Amino acid sequence: MSNLSLIIEERAASIGSFLVGRLLPFAQKRAVGPFVFIDHMGPVQLDKGQNLDVPPHPHIGLSTLTFLFEGSILHKDSLGTSVEVKPGEVNWMTAGKGVVHSERTPDYLRKVDKKLHGLQIWVALPKNLEQMPPSFSHISADEIPAWEQDGVQMKLIAGKAFGRKSPVPTYSDLYFLEIKSSKETTLNIGDDLFGESALYILSGEISSEGNTYGPKQLLVAKDSKICTFTIGENTTVYLFGGEPFPEERFIEWNFVSSDKELIKAAKLKWLNQTFPKVSGETDFVPLPQKGKF
């Protein structure tokens, strides 16, 4: 019997001037463990004068994880943070009761050709921490645990797995792994996983139980404990998951919560512009009339 419960194809979604590939949420699968939202950005070629500009916008009830393969993003937030995220680094912002941030092309790249490619992920907070104070962490590429195992290169971007722990300050039991192969290899890694699990194919292909899957597909497992697959030559995949929360999470625009009243309050707060401000920023993303996924 197949261990796959669902195959999700990447879908185009707009984030203003850019189209991204949306993986989660999906109609038949709103979350995988605490992961409630995943966008695949790019790869996109940006010419001179063409830049990423996402003005200040708010979040509650989640942590955001930005992980780039190519390019650079300048992150600024209402905590006073101003930091550039580059490939292999992790930006981890915990919104808690409320934070505002912007994402833009850094000044030194705005008048040159450049590329942008990466993942943007939302991880819901446990119910008792949904209203925690906001915080921000930037983890450099050399701080991320990396090792070779069964002929593949592994990187533990966030969470814990394989007896290792990432320095990213997560608030629930989860894992987010990068697996890269140079040759075809069969992996049996279920014993090191827990909770719900899904695998995203960035490039190359994997095969399982006689079926082959390729780029831009998200495979959701029925049981993470029997996660076995053959990873093809020169393939990169991202394996993520963890323990699901007992309560449903509601998503409306940039807000995530187990309590719809908290989302209503956040919407009103943004409409009235009483969220904290991002220093040096004057514009903002207006609240959409229809903000549900």
Side-chain angles (χ1 to χ4, degrees):
M1 182 181 291
S2 171
N3 188 36
L4 287 179
S5 65
L6 187 65
I7 301 168
I8 299 174
E9 300 285 346
E10 193 172 298
R11 292 123 33 232
S14 174
I15 57 166
S17 57
F18 286 89
L19 283 176
V20 296
R22 182 142 300 159
L23 296 162
L24 284 179
F26 185 68
Q28 285 80 38
K29 188 65 178 171
R30 304 299 295 177
V32 174
F35 292 82
V36 296
F37 177 99
I38 300 180
D39 269 356
H40 175 209
M41 301 183 295
V44 62
Q45 176 68 50
L46 301 175
D47 298 328
K48 299 174 183 177
Q50 189 180 20
N51 297 295
L52 174 72
D53 280 303
V54 182
H57 56 282
H59 291 287
I60 66 164
L62 56 81
S63 295
T64 62
L65 189 160
T66 301
F67 188 76
L68 296 181
F69 313 131
E70 291 182 282
S72 176
I73 295 176
L74 177 64
H75 164 102
K76 295 178 71 176
D77 63 40
S78 53
L79 298 168
T81 308
S82 179
V83 66
E84 182 182 354
V85 59
K86 298 178 180 179
E89 302 175 341
V90 174
N91 260 19
W92 178 265
M93 182 182 71
T94 296
K97 63 183 180 181
V99 74
V100 179
H101 75 131
S102 64
E103 297 161 292
R104 301 186 186 274
T105 300
D107 286 345
Y108 73 95
L109 292 175
R110 296 185 74 84
K111 295 182 180 180
V112 299
D113 295 345
K114 60 266 179 188
K115 290 182 180 180
L116 188 62
H117 191 198
L119 294 173
Q120 290 205 303
I121 295 169
W122 295 358
V123 180
L125 288 167
K127 184 176 177 65
N128 65 317
L129 295 177
E130 286 184 320
Q131 290 288 285
M132 68 181 288
S135 62
F136 178 85
S137 296
H138 179 83
I139 293 86
S140 63
D142 58 8
E143 294 178 87
I144 302 297
W147 68 99
E148 185 175 331
Q149 176 176 322
D150 299 327
V152 297
Q153 299 297 318
M154 309 275 281
K155 204 176 273 188
L156 182 58
I157 298 167
K160 58 184 181 181
F162 300 95
R164 293 169 169 86
K165 188 175 187 304
S166 167
V168 173
T170 56
Y171 296 96
S172 61
D173 290 332
L174 61 88
Y175 47 88
F176 178 42
L177 288 149
E178 178 186 82
I179 305 174
K180 288 190 172 187
S181 67
S182 56
K183 61 182 181 180
E184 183 177 296
T185 306
T186 297
L187 298 177
N188 183 358
I189 56 178
D191 289 343
D192 292 286
L193 306 179
F194 54 89
E196 297 182 330
S197 189
L199 183 149
Y200 173 63
I201 305 166
L202 178 70
S203 60
E205 64 181 31
I206 73 156
S207 57
S208 177
E209 297 163 329
N211 297 304
T212 299
Y213 307 95
K216 299 189 176 183
Q217 289 188 308
L218 178 67
L219 313 180
V220 182
K222 289 180 181 176
D223 183 353
S224 65
K225 288 296 180 187
I226 53 173
C227 185
T228 300
F229 60 92
T230 298
I231 186 169
E233 182 181 4
N234 298 323
T235 293
T236 300
V237 301
Y238 290 87
L239 186 62
F240 65 92
E243 298 297 344
F245 296 127
E247 320 87 8
E248 182 181 359
R249 288 301 182 275
F250 303 104
I251 303 177
E252 193 161 343
W253 192 39
N254 296 318
F255 305 131
V256 175
S257 181
S258 60
D259 185 348
K260 289 183 177 180
E261 291 303 314
L262 288 175
I263 292 178
K264 287 181 182 178
K267 289 170 65 176
L268 186 60
K269 192 174 177 181
W270 187 246
L271 278 171
N272 294 331
Q273 283 296 294
T274 53
F275 267 89
K277 306 296 184 185
V278 178
S279 177
E281 297 272 19
T282 55
D283 57 347
F284 62 90
V285 179
L287 182 74
Q289 294 301 306
K290 292 183 179 180
K292 290 185 178 180
F293 288 103

